[in-house]
Amino acid sequence: MTVPIRIALQKSGRLSEDSYQLFKACGIRFDYGTGKLKSVSSNFPAEFLFLRDDDIPGYVEDGVADLGIVGENVAVETGRQVTTVHKLGFSKCRLSIAIPRGTVYNGIADLQGKSIATSYPRLLGTYLSGHGIVADIHEISGSVEIAPSIGLAEAICDIVSSGSTLLSNGLKEVETIFRSEAVMIAHANLPAEKQTLLDQLLFRINAVQAAKNNKYIVLNAPNNAIPGISKLLPGMKAPTVTPLATEGWSSVHSVINENDFWENIEAIRAAGAEGILVMQIEKMIN
């Protein structure tokens, strides 16, 4: 009997929902909802623990959980001895220093000797010391953005997504010190059986991510235009070309990266493509 791999997930919040959707896209089913502490997959040898995000690296380091999904900022800030095995591409944000909007800022040297409130003293301290800056770091948890207005600190260092929270608290972003996204972390010494399960899981995740970043494209073109179009649509190896009922025409099927689509579509049309269809890909396995 296969021993299930134990995976720690954030119990609530955006990262929690995105993690659940990732496993769902990978075809792994388990009960998920507010108040649950543990769940077992019905179709993959995995057990899920629902924890506070700050606790996940510690559980993975101690071997209570084999894997965990956390923000990269949390994984680095906690300093736990875990291995980052995969970047997941969602829950992207940045850790930034912000100051009151009316304060003049000429550069990082302006932070010398200042008091800065943050929930990320390790990341902030590393960044400041790397620039030769000595500051008074106040470690607080929660409501960091109000620190300047209540006189606790002259600046803050906090997670920023849209910047609206800073704006509503009269702050402006002046330094980005760390860019983060969701990552999968693993215990440093996984047994061989669980490493095999991790490899299977990463295979599925890679297929889902590849599909998300690519589109399936179908078009019609005169046969003499196909060589030029094929250079714009390399696909996974080469486009699939199928003759149409109309003499001298063919249907071209390929895959195009999302980032390249709008840049190439006019060139594809100019090369002679007509009737272009673009479709989502559910899974993509190289």
Side-chain angles (χ1 to χ4, degrees):
M1 180 178 178
T2 301
V3 177
I5 196 163
R6 186 173 283 181
I7 305 170
L9 303 181
Q10 185 176 330
K11 64 181 178 181
S12 61
R14 175 65 183 275
L15 182 59
S16 173
E17 178 61 29
D18 287 343
S19 299
Y20 173 72
Q21 292 301 328
L22 172 65
F23 285 106
K24 182 179 178 181
C26 289
I28 298 172
R29 297 193 295 271
F30 61 95
D31 290 335
Y32 164 80
T34 304
K36 292 190 73 69
L37 298 178
K38 189 171 73 169
S39 182
V40 177
S41 173
S42 60
N43 64 344
F44 188 85
E47 183 178 87
F48 294 88
L49 306 179
F50 304 106
L51 309 169
R52 288 179 63 254
D53 57 345
D54 291 348
D55 293 335
I56 291 175
Y59 273 69
V60 174
E61 181 187 53
D62 294 341
V64 175
D66 303 302
L67 308 176
I69 293 181
V70 293
E72 192 174 6
N73 56 301
V74 173
V76 175
E77 179 63 32
T78 58
R80 296 288 189 166
Q81 297 302 304
V82 296
T83 302
T84 297
V85 293
H86 200 69
K87 293 194 173 186
L88 299 172
F90 56 80
S91 295
K92 292 185 177 182
C93 61
R94 58 193 182 274
L95 184 62
S96 295
I97 297 172
I99 61 176
R101 271 207 304 273
T103 304
V104 175
Y105 187 77
N106 299 305
I108 194 167
D110 288 355
L111 298 174
Q112 183 72 31
K114 294 292 193 294
S115 57
I116 308 175
T118 187
S119 299
Y120 299 91
R122 179 190 294 267
L123 284 166
L124 176 57
T126 299
Y127 182 82
L128 293 177
S129 63
H131 288 80
I133 302 299
V134 177
D136 183 13
I137 298 176
H138 288 278
E139 183 179 359
I140 60 176
S141 58
S143 302
V144 174
E145 63 276 356
I146 69 169
S149 65
I150 63 175
L152 179 63
E154 297 162 279
I156 71 163
C157 180
D158 202 15
I159 291 297
V160 179
S161 294
S162 67
S164 60
T165 301
L166 294 181
L167 187 64
S168 64
N169 284 277
L171 301 171
K172 63 180 179 181
E173 191 176 353
V174 294
E175 296 281 341
T176 296
I177 74 167
F178 190 83
R179 294 191 180 275
S180 178
E181 63 182 272
V183 294
M184 177 172 284
I185 58 174
H187 182 64
N189 296 297
L190 283 180
E193 186 177 18
K194 292 192 175 182
Q195 182 62 51
T196 297
L197 291 175
L198 171 58
D199 292 342
Q200 292 173 6
L201 180 57
L202 290 177
F203 177 81
R204 297 191 188 196
I205 290 173
N206 283 323
V208 169
Q209 288 183 318
K212 185 177 180 180
N213 294 330
N214 291 276
K215 295 288 184 285
Y216 189 74
I217 185 168
V218 181
L219 57 89
N220 297 330
N223 290 339
N224 59 9
I226 289 175
I229 292 172
S230 296
K231 292 178 181 178
L232 299 168
L233 288 173
M236 297 175 74
K237 288 190 181 296
T240 299
V241 179
T242 305
L244 294 177
T246 303
E247 181 91 21
W249 283 73
S250 293
S251 173
V252 179
H253 299 238
S254 190
V255 172
I256 187 168
N257 188 275
E258 176 79 24
N259 296 327
D260 299 332
F261 175 75
W262 290 113
E263 181 179 338
N264 286 357
I265 194 64
E266 288 302 325
I268 292 169
R269 291 179 62 203
E274 298 180 6
I276 302 170
L277 298 178
V278 182
M279 293 167 279
Q280 297 282 353
I281 303 172
E282 184 176 338
K283 306 288 187 299
M284 182 172 166
I285 300 170
N286 291 319

